[in-house]
Amino acid sequence: YVSKCRFEKINIPTLDQLLNTENGNATTKYINCLVDNCECTAIFGSTGDVDVINCTIVENKLDVLNVYWGGYVPSPNFQGANLLVYNSIVYDNTYYNGHFPPNGTTIFSYSGIDALETWMVDDGTCSYVNPQFSYDPSEPYMLDLFSPYIGYGNTVYLTSEPYILQEHDIISNHRYADANHSCLDAGAYQTSKYDQDD
């Protein structure tokens, strides 16, 4: 698990990935993370599946989101590293599509994206509207109160995670919008905050 981390303004001049994971048959999970204003070949490099849950990935320059670690297939029997993106916002990124071809499958569920690249798969639950970030100087990618992604997320992708990863967003706001855990915002920030008694 990688939770509540920020990867900001990182420039990797070589053909490499920002977050390399030697995870083999395990699944690496990024939860409540922010990746913004970075430049790299791919954000995620892996030898196994990667889940991206309630993350915000904005204003980056890259080829693709996910490639095999090192840009090659690690073994003859390897079937591909899947990138599964849930309850996240992937918006206003620049894709060069010039260095590494996409490997594996990149599938989006209950996420906000601004364009469906050829290597992306929308499972039918995604939205393509402007996320309406608040552009608060201290938290520029928090959703404003009128964002269409408030209450947009699906709780099923968090309920199997450890309690501490479910309960708080990137700045420790309570993640769920109601005490019944039936509603949460997409992205790294939970904008709709209510007092909870659970």
Side-chain angles (χ1 to χ4, degrees), residues 9-42:
K9 300 179 181 177
I10 301 169
N11 186 346
I12 301 177
T14 58
L15 300 183
D16 209 346
Q17 297 86 55
L18 180 66
L19 305 172
N20 288 333
T21 306
E22 297 183 34
N23 48 350
N25 294 323
T27 298
T28 299
K29 298 188 179 189
Y30 293 87
I31 303 177
N32 301 320
C33 294
L34 173 66
V35 183
D36 71 273
N37 292 282
C38 296
E39 187 165 358
C40 53
T41 302

Side-chain angles (χ1 to χ4, degrees), residues 130-198:
N130 190 312
Q132 298 182 28
F133 295 122
S134 69
Y135 294 107
D136 179 294
S138 61
E139 300 294 341
Y141 300 108
M142 180 181 286
L143 302 175
D144 74 22
L145 294 178
F146 301 101
S147 171
Y149 294 114
I150 292 179
Y152 183 81
N154 188 334
T155 60
V156 70
Y157 302 118
L158 278 182
T159 53
S160 62
E161 305 306 330
Y163 181 82
I164 191 63
L165 299 180
Q166 295 184 48
E167 291 300 304
H168 298 97
D169 72 352
I170 191 170
I171 56 174
S172 298
N173 286 332
H174 197 275
R175 173 51 82 176
Y176 293 97
D178 67 319
N180 295 322
H181 290 190
S182 63
C183 181
L184 74 162
D185 298 348
Y189 296 93
Q190 183 72 22
T191 301
S192 51
K193 301 182 288 291
Y194 300 89
D195 291 332
Q196 304 294 312
D197 295 322
D198 60 344

